[in-house]
Amino acid sequence: MDIVDISSAKPGDEVFVIYRNPHVPTVANIKPAEIVAHPKDPNALALFLNETFHVIEDDDALFPTSESAQKAFEGHFFDFGEE
């Protein structure tokens, strides 16, 4: 799976995330986001998504393309082990 290495990410990089709707937990979408300087910590990065800053967590999966995010999405949500 193609995932962005956050240690090599820099402000201005576009990434794609699988974003769960906080109001409807069963709904998830692939959304574009931008890596930006953290607004309160100049030594950290943040994610700008849906007009909001998000702290980047260690377990966040950031994808370099919408296609790689789509593949991960389908594998996670629709792979039932069928052959």
Side-chain angles (χ1 to χ4, degrees), residues 47-65:
L47 203 58
F48 192 65
L49 172 69
N50 293 336
E51 303 298 319
T52 305
F53 292 100
H54 297 270
V55 174
I56 299 174
E57 303 288 342
D58 290 338
D59 61 349
D60 286 344
L62 309 176
F63 301 93
T65 65

Side-chain angles (χ1 to χ4, degrees), residues 15-33:
V15 295
F16 295 84
V17 298
I18 299 171
Y19 181 77
R20 285 190 179 261
N21 183 323
H23 304 292
V24 185
T26 58
V27 175
N29 296 297
I30 295 169
K31 297 278 192 170

Side-chain angles (χ1 to χ4, degrees), residues 1-82:
M1 182 176 352
D2 198 14
I3 296 180
V4 172
D5 178 6
I6 193 62
S7 66
S8 65
K10 59 190 179 311
D13 287 352
E14 182 179 48
V15 295
F16 295 84
V17 298
I18 299 171
Y19 181 77
R20 285 190 179 261
N21 183 323
H23 304 292
V24 185
T26 58
V27 175
N29 296 297
I30 295 169
K31 297 278 192 170
E34 184 178 348
I35 302 289
V36 295
H38 193 288
K40 295 184 180 180
D41 182 355
N43 297 318
L45 296 174
L47 203 58
F48 192 65
L49 172 69
N50 293 336
E51 303 298 319
T52 305
F53 292 100
H54 297 270
V55 174
I56 299 174
E57 303 288 342
D58 290 338
D59 61 349
D60 286 344
L62 309 176
F63 301 93
T65 65
S66 61
E67 291 80 13
S68 59
Q70 183 68 37
K71 186 174 180 181
F73 179 87
E74 290 170 1
H76 181 74
F77 289 100
F78 299 110
D79 184 3
F80 302 110
E82 300 172 0

